[in-house]
Amino acid sequence: MAITDRTTASPKAPIAPERKTALVAGAIYLLTFISIPTLALYTPVHDPDYVLGPGPDTPVLIGVALETIVALACIGTAVVLHPVLKRVNEAASLGFIAARTLEAATIFASVACLLTVVSLRQAGVGADALVSAQALMTLRDWMFLTGQGFLPAVNAVLLGSLLYRARLVPRLLPMMGLIGAPLLVASAIATVFNLWGQVSALAGLAALPIALWEFSLGIWLVVKGFKPSPFTAGPATAVTPTPHHNGRK
């Protein structure tokens, strides 16, 4: 009788839950950078006479869509990381979720302002709505300043301190966030006191360390994941001893 050997493919090793968490969190962090084109897309709507002029509203609507994605991604990064971060400090992890949610709320509020201005223009309200549209854009700019000038610094301090303490990533990464946080706050304060513009070279330089921190963190989490740490080890599996029976079965 011929004997045939069956070769069975070995199953792939399952991905550890912490690796999945790092991969998803890193991807969402990188997703937050899709809003960069809004600096150019929102140029027309900043014209004081925008509601009076002709032209398409498509660039503004595209920017609104991008910012909506970013707002949801802000919440997603904190929620996805919470199962790991709470092992380090649950209160700080919950604070990070709250800060990211508040940041998302400011983005949604600024988006609502933009959509209202677009609606006024499409309705053809004319010069009667000029002051209202300018007030909405001013409100949008202040929302952007608080949401993107102060809150990312709070996020950097909360998340950076957790990652630095737990050594979940190379300490250089959270150090960039911890150094960049006071620079970003100082730039926002300078903008409030009209020392420089909200969109200026100095403001961009002050925001650069935070941007590098978040982008580098996203890349690291996608490519490398968390470093080995007691905080990434799942709860110990209880081993139930096998009972020994004396005598006959």
Side-chain angles (χ1 to χ4, degrees), residues 6-88:
R6 293 182 179 180
T7 304
T8 57
S10 58
K12 293 182 179 180
I15 301 176
E18 288 76 16
R19 183 66 186 100
K20 291 181 181 178
T21 297
L23 183 61
V24 173
I28 298 176
Y29 254 112
L30 296 178
L31 185 63
T32 61
F33 284 85
I34 66 169
S35 65
I36 292 177
T38 58
L39 292 174
L41 292 171
Y42 289 159
T43 299
V45 76
H46 279 95
D47 186 340
D49 298 326
Y50 176 76
V51 293
L52 303 179
D57 300 311
T58 304
V60 180
L61 297 177
I62 292 174
V64 163
L66 294 178
E67 284 206 294
T68 301
I69 295 172
V70 170
L72 296 174
C74 283
I75 302 173
T77 53
V79 172
V80 170
L81 287 171
H82 180 64
V84 174
L85 297 180
K86 69 179 181 180
R87 301 173 189 171
V88 186

Side-chain angles (χ1 to χ4, degrees), residues 156-173:
V157 171
L158 290 170
L159 180 58
S161 60
L162 288 169
L163 295 179
Y164 186 89
R165 172 185 170 188
R167 298 177 181 266
L168 294 172
V169 297
R171 283 188 159 181
L172 177 62
L173 297 183

Side-chain angles (χ1 to χ4, degrees), residues 44-201:
V45 76
H46 279 95
D47 186 340
D49 298 326
Y50 176 76
V51 293
L52 303 179
D57 300 311
T58 304
V60 180
L61 297 177
I62 292 174
V64 163
L66 294 178
E67 284 206 294
T68 301
I69 295 172
V70 170
L72 296 174
C74 283
I75 302 173
T77 53
V79 172
V80 170
L81 287 171
H82 180 64
V84 174
L85 297 180
K86 69 179 181 180
R87 301 173 189 171
V88 186
N89 188 310
E90 187 169 9
S93 181
L94 291 173
F96 180 52
I97 293 177
R100 288 297 260 183
T101 303
L102 184 57
E103 181 182 352
T106 62
I107 295 175
F108 282 127
S110 67
V111 161
C113 291
L114 289 167
L115 289 176
T116 303
V117 172
V118 170
S119 297
L120 291 173
R121 187 191 199 205
Q122 292 176 345
V125 292
D128 292 339
L130 194 60
V131 174
S132 298
Q134 292 172 356
L136 285 167
M137 287 306 301
T138 301
L139 177 60
R140 186 264 169 191
D141 290 341
W142 283 115
M143 283 287 184
F144 184 85
L145 180 64
T146 56
Q148 304 301 307
F150 290 105
L151 291 175
V154 176
N155 296 329
V157 171
L158 290 170
L159 180 58
S161 60
L162 288 169
L163 295 179
Y164 186 89
R165 172 185 170 188
R167 298 177 181 266
L168 294 172
V169 297
R171 283 188 159 181
L172 177 62
L173 297 183
M175 280 299 298
M176 284 193 293
L178 295 173
I179 292 172
L183 293 177
L184 190 62
V185 171
S187 176
I189 294 173
T191 302
V192 170
F193 287 97
N194 293 319
L195 297 180
W196 57 67
Q198 190 170 346
V199 181
S200 62

